[in-house]
Amino acid sequence: MSVLVTTTDGYHIFTSKGQHLTALAGQRVEALAPGPGGTWLAVVDRRAVWQHGADGEWTPLTKSDAELTAVVAAGTTIFAGTADARVLRLSTEGALDPVPSFDAVPGRESWHAVGVPLQVRSMTATSDASALLV
């Protein structure tokens, strides 16, 4: 068993054998989530989504002008949440595009923040990838 930790100074793995492994040192890593095909996804430096592949390497998937706060895969589709309470979808061209249906949710204009500013704080998908929960 291992504990996975994301920090302002990389991604850390603490194994049950006492090992401490580090990747992406010097970069802010957050919003770790399982990705498609046994990969892992992470928000790196608040502006990029990276993927950890079966080869053990982290590689950038896309960059964004928006500040990213969350990431999730629903099947093979990758979504990212933003600091301004939006949801973006990774296109086949590699861009993060807004999800219009999330921007048009009934009652959205009455959403308000309690504590920190309104943002997408967490995301998940149903096990059959038929619904995204934000």
Side-chain angles (χ1 to χ4, degrees):
M1 179 160 110
S2 298
V3 175
L4 313 176
V5 180
T6 60
T7 72
T8 58
D9 186 25
Y11 164 78
H12 303 269
I13 302 169
F14 298 92
T15 71
S16 58
K17 295 181 180 181
Q19 294 175 300
H20 175 196
L21 310 169
T22 303
L24 302 172
Q27 295 178 287
R28 181 185 186 104
V29 181
E30 52 195 319
L32 185 68
T39 64
W40 284 91
L41 303 169
V43 171
V44 176
D45 294 329
R46 295 185 173 167
R47 300 279 179 184
V49 175
W50 287 49
Q51 187 172 42
H52 184 267
D55 61 0
E57 296 295 319
W58 281 99
T59 56
L61 286 180
T62 189
K63 288 187 176 185
S64 176
D65 291 333
E67 185 176 327
L68 304 176
T69 57
V71 66
V72 70
T76 59
T77 305
I78 296 171
F79 296 91
T82 70
D84 62 349
R86 305 211 43 220
V87 174
L88 310 175
R89 177 186 298 122
L90 183 63
S91 71
T92 55
E93 294 80 31
L96 285 171
D97 299 322
V99 175
S101 58
F102 187 77
D103 292 340
V105 168
R108 181 180 169 97
E109 67 280 350
S110 65
W111 293 358
H112 63 281
V114 176
V116 298
L118 191 62
Q119 60 183 297
V120 173
R121 292 188 181 109
S122 63
M123 303 171 74
T124 193
T126 56
S127 60
D128 64 359
S130 65
L132 181 66
L133 308 169
V134 180

